[in-house]
Amino acid sequence: MAKSRPPKRILDSYTIKGTNKVVKPGDCVLMRPPDSSKLPYVAKVENIEAGARKSNVRVRVRWYYRPEESIGGRRQFHGAKEVFLSDHYDVQSADTIEGKCFVHTFKKYTKLEDVGNEDFFCRFEYKSATGSFVPDRIAVFCKCEMPYNPDDLMIQCEECSDWYHPSCIGMTVEKAKKLEHFFCETCSTENGKKTEDSPNASRQSEKKEI
């Protein structure tokens, strides 16, 4: 009589090898790629399972894609820490988990005081078979009509409240950081208001909030 395969056990958590960090379903993790020259994969843990003796622990994950891993590739407005939540699920050995990470909402990420190596953000879901995104349209800013990249400095016109990249209006980043008041070309022409430098040259522009 053939032996039956022992049932899999669903685990509540898993301790990453060599660490005291505990991973639970719903957590985001960094996973070691086959090619050591590549960046770690980012994934969301769906469930954790093991053999009858808690051996051969495996995790079912939902992959996050980096922009360069998507069909369209990385574009100008994609942030360095941006990832897309895909519809691609997989089962991997828990041994490939390198550590935990945090995938924030876009709004929360833009308000972080310090961005660590483990911090990422997601504003799109990605359909891996078609290369399409949800949502397929988001707000655009500046004369270039590009979505906001949180890595890039933007300055806001005090009259019309529109946001601009310094390079798109012929201004250096250093100059933009010193501004006390900024009025775009249209508002300056219509209302006669002028952009002014701050008397405090070390003043830093505030982060753009979405």
Side-chain angles (χ1 to χ4, degrees), residues 16 29 40 47 59 78 127 141-142 151 161 176 200:
I16 301 172
V29 295
N47 61 44
V59 288
H78 291 143
K127 307 300 181 183
F141 303 92
C142 189
D151 300 331
S161 299
N200 179 4

Side-chain angles (χ1 to χ4, degrees), residues 182-197:
F182 169 69
F183 300 95
C184 69
E185 183 178 2
T186 300
C187 293
S188 295
T189 302
E190 291 180 353
N191 302 314
K193 295 182 177 180
K194 295 182 179 181
T195 296
E196 298 177 9
D197 286 354

Side-chain angles (χ1 to χ4, degrees), residues 69-172:
E69 297 167 339
S70 67
I71 292 176
R74 179 173 288 279
R75 298 182 62 187
Q76 181 181 343
F77 64 87
H78 291 143
K81 305 302 293 290
E82 184 162 8
V83 291
F84 314 137
L85 181 61
S86 78
D87 56 358
H88 179 187
Y89 293 83
D90 207 351
V91 177
Q92 296 285 313
S93 169
D95 289 344
T96 62
I97 298 177
E98 295 185 338
K100 296 178 70 173
C101 64
F102 304 94
V103 180
H104 305 277
T105 64
F106 185 55
K107 185 173 184 178
K108 183 176 179 181
Y109 180 86
T110 60
K111 295 182 177 180
L112 291 178
E113 291 295 328
D114 296 298
V115 177
N117 292 332
E118 299 82 16
D119 291 309
F120 298 86
F121 72 89
C122 178
R123 55 179 159 180
F124 296 107
E125 289 192 15
Y126 176 68
K127 307 300 181 183
S128 56
T130 62
S132 60
F133 292 89
V134 178
D136 60 355
R137 293 174 182 269
I138 57 174
V140 296
F141 303 92
C142 189
K143 296 165 68 175
C144 63
E145 297 189 340
M146 294 289 285
Y148 176 44
N149 180 343
D151 300 331
D152 294 339
L153 176 72
M154 297 190 81
I155 52 178
Q156 187 179 33
C157 174
E158 294 182 23
E159 186 72 14
C160 65
S161 299
D162 284 348
W163 290 88
Y164 295 88
H165 300 108
S167 60
C168 292
I169 54 175
M171 185 182 296
T172 65

